[in-house]
Amino acid sequence: MRIEPRYQELFEPLQIGPVTAKNRFYQVPHCTGMGHALPRTLAAMRAMKAEGGWGVVCTEYCSINPTSDDHPHPFAAVWDDGDLANLAAMADQVHAHGALAGIELWHGGSYVSNLATRLPSIGVRSMPSRTEPIQSQRMDRSDIRALRQWHRAAATRARLAGFDIIYVYPTHGYLLSEFLSRSLNDRSDEYGGTLANRVRLVRELIEETRDAVGDRCAVAVRFSADGHGDAHLSADEARDVLGMIGELPDLWDLVVSDYYGEEMATSRFAREASLEDRVAYVKRMTSKPVVSVGRFTSPDTMVRQIRRGILDFIGAARPSIADPFLPTKIREDRIDDIRECIGCNICYAYNYRGAAIRCTQNPTMGEEWRRGWHPEHVPAGDGGSVLIVGAGPAGLEAAHVLGKRGYTVALADAAAEPGGRVTLESRLPGLAEWARVRDYRLGQIKGMPNVSVFLGSALSAAEVREFGADHVLIATGARWRRNGVGRCHANPIPGLNAGSVLTPDDLMRGARPQGQVTVFDDDHYYMGPVLAGMLAGTGALVTYVTTEGKAGDWSQHTGEQERTQQQMLELGIEIIVNTTVDGFDGEFVSLACVYSDRKHLRAASTLVLVTSREPSDALYRELVSPESESIDLKIQRIGDCRQPALIVHAVYAGHKAARELGEMPEHLAAKRDRTVI
Ligand code: ADP
Ligand code: SF4
């Protein structure tokens, strides 16, 4: 098997304790929204990464006991022998492609609420859970003994299930990090007080895991290289921990203290390899292999991490989600084929919502088992012709998949450049990486003689009919509403004709109002805050008004909300929450509290409405109207013109329509993953 010489180091095997990884590509543990609930779906998804060349593929957080239940988030579980078959399915399928399987044993401590098991949670001291108005039970010595037994039993089961790497997990605020914390750990026995005492439980679990399974399995520790903040474990203390137990495990999997701001940050707030200055020192503290993340998508960056002795393994969660075949593509020097993660955190958001993982860049993510979708292969089609109107994310994805299926594809767009909303939005501050959605697809299309792109081609219904394609996909997108209709207002806000009323489309096409600008956000995701920030940056005096309680409230699911609000405050934007706009006369906006009848006026010369979007479906509706002469045309609408939603939805819609075009209905049925009694 030829390996591109420039990237040779990435394909050198490396020993991890008693096992050997075939290369340096390491899928670190990451959530999936599947966990114990969707075992077949999960195993097939992990197997796809192994097929794509990852040398190590890990589970998500895997609970060792019913006192650690993160319901409604579907975590993995190894509570008893009944879990073995599901876990073994994943390990076996990962092994089938020559990868090692890792399992992240986990106890959530005070953080979890045990909504499903209804057991008291346990903590080093009684502390509130993350979400519920309840607290944990303070652990006594017998609880610590029990925890050690659970962990040992879980490790033994994990080995039985076939796992090669078994984690001890003292970070991310879970139980073992509580023990490391100088503030939370107020014990006066040998588990509290000095750092050596606070580390004792972690040390015992590493030793006991090795004792239980170390003959065949490696023991890994996931650890925050710069601690957990001065109140808990300072950066110096983290270094001291490594000084104490650096040689104990077989591998260090490194994260950093700022989870949302750095480790899991979106591309709005962090770039590739941004953890480097925090984790680089660890290689000097241990002879054991080190893995860490950094949303690595560039093979040159990856090689440099290895050559410069920063890391031994290139860790990835998101890049492996966006492109399960990233290692294979690097090995074969097919760099342009890499579907680079755009750092939007939609993958994380849906897990957080309790739903199976999905990905903006990779529409097959999570559909490997249910729909049998492969990220690199699509079934050949019948060779007909397809006209796609609209080259946004939906149209581009459909064009590239249909091109791969062998159809003759014409992709037309009224605009002078392709990409639709992706092109426009990627020019907003912080969103440049989103252009990768467009660029990957254009790159794929470029090499396809059967796909033609026609820009500057606004098509009418007559022209669509005249074109005479066998199939027509309408992907004409949506426009932001200029009348305030949205969640809060079912009817247009009265009297918006006076003064300057703008929409995100106007701003994305270059409008830059000055003076006092009110941005009204009834959408609750990134658009309102990003536009407010952009306008503040170009000199406007911005007031941001939202019907929710926080700026960009939905972005709590992508882990961006705090950074978003912080950034807005730093830019001098006034934030008014729980408030709607119910009038504007060109000089004042009328603001109304969403809970009471209280109203007040604010001076504003411009009102920007970020409320909701109107599908641009006039072309579709004309083509399918009963009077239409194109009644026999096979027409579908896809993406935002069917359902205004996120880019992830548009890409998925384009993919689904393209993959299913011309297929028999029975081939399209999705399988259901469920527990059967
Ligand atoms: P989606 O997210 O569903 O892909 P976008 O809004 O990103 O939708 O893209 C829609 C694209 O469709 C835009 O680039 C727009 O220029 C194009 N478009 C809309 N109407 C027409 C039309 N009648 N003919 C050609 N292109 C059109
Ligand atoms: Fe990357 Fe976004 Fe896909 Fe997550 S959803 S892997 S952040 S592109």
Side-chain angles (χ1 to χ4, degrees), residues 63-64 66 77-85 87 157:
S63 172
I64 60 171
V78 56
W79 290 352
D80 54 44
D81 289 349
D83 288 313
L84 284 178
L87 291 170
R157 283 198 181 93

Side-chain angles (χ1 to χ4, degrees), residues 264 266 295 317-323 340-348 357-362 437 648:
M264 252 321 272
T266 59
R295 222 161 43 74
R318 287 171 289 177
S320 75
I321 295 166
D323 198 340
E340 287 185 286
C341 167
I342 68 166
C344 60
N345 280 7
I346 285 298
C347 47
Y348 180 76
I357 193 168
R358 60 211 61 192
C359 170
T360 301
Q361 273 284 54
N362 175 11
V437 172
V648 61

